Amino acid sequence: MSAPLLDSAPAWLAFCPRCAAPLVTRRVVDRPRRACPACGYVHFTDPKVGVGVLVVEDGRVLLVRRAVGPERGKWSLPAGFLDQGEDPAATAAREALEETGLTVAIEGLLDVFYNPPGRGGASIFILYRARRVAGEPTAGDDADEARFFPLDALPDLAFASTRAAIARLREESSADLAD
Ligand SMILES: [Zn+2]
């Protein structure tokens, strides 16, 4: 649990963004945080939020190979970071288009995943079920390859959230076969 506590008071934040006085570390709302003795400003380190899509066709899942860090060269679900003010579902669909060339329709929320800190990427990952509306897999943006993989022949996967989502998908598909 030490990493999240350390992350709550980033030392690189030296000066108050409101009044420019030097910040100090003190305990605020149960954690050490960077705070301003001059004006009372407190810096809250908000979680990094990622959004992505799970597109499955004929038992195959759409994945992209990451062209940038973290976890460069491994495969993940099409996804991106959510910026302030963005709608998560619309952003997930846009990231899918940018990374895979597929126009997708969001069908619903699959789940919200937690990635432990330390390896980069999003700490909170919102994953939607989506289906292809148009397009063929063509890599772009942060991806250098995009294709569908059978669930029994998956490549090296990036991120705990991707692995958790794929593991669940495999459980569901084996449950369907057992029905
Ligand atoms: Zn201040």
Side-chain angles (χ1 to χ4, degrees), residues 16 18-19 36 39 41:
C16 178
R18 198 156 66 192
C19 78
C36 179
C39 76
Y41 169 83

Side-chain angles (χ1 to χ4, degrees), residues 61-79 95-96 98-101 137-149 154-159 162:
V61 62
L62 178 64
L63 297 174
V64 296
R65 190 169 64 193
R66 299 180 50 74
V68 296
E71 308 239 22
R72 180 179 176 183
K74 293 186 177 181
W75 293 76
S76 71
L77 298 165
E95 291 287 348
E98 288 174 358
E99 292 189 345
T100 74
T138 309
D141 198 35
D142 295 342
D144 63 11
E145 201 176 338
R147 50 179 282 212
F148 284 90
F149 285 91
L154 293 170
D156 195 12
L157 298 175
F159 304 127
T162 297

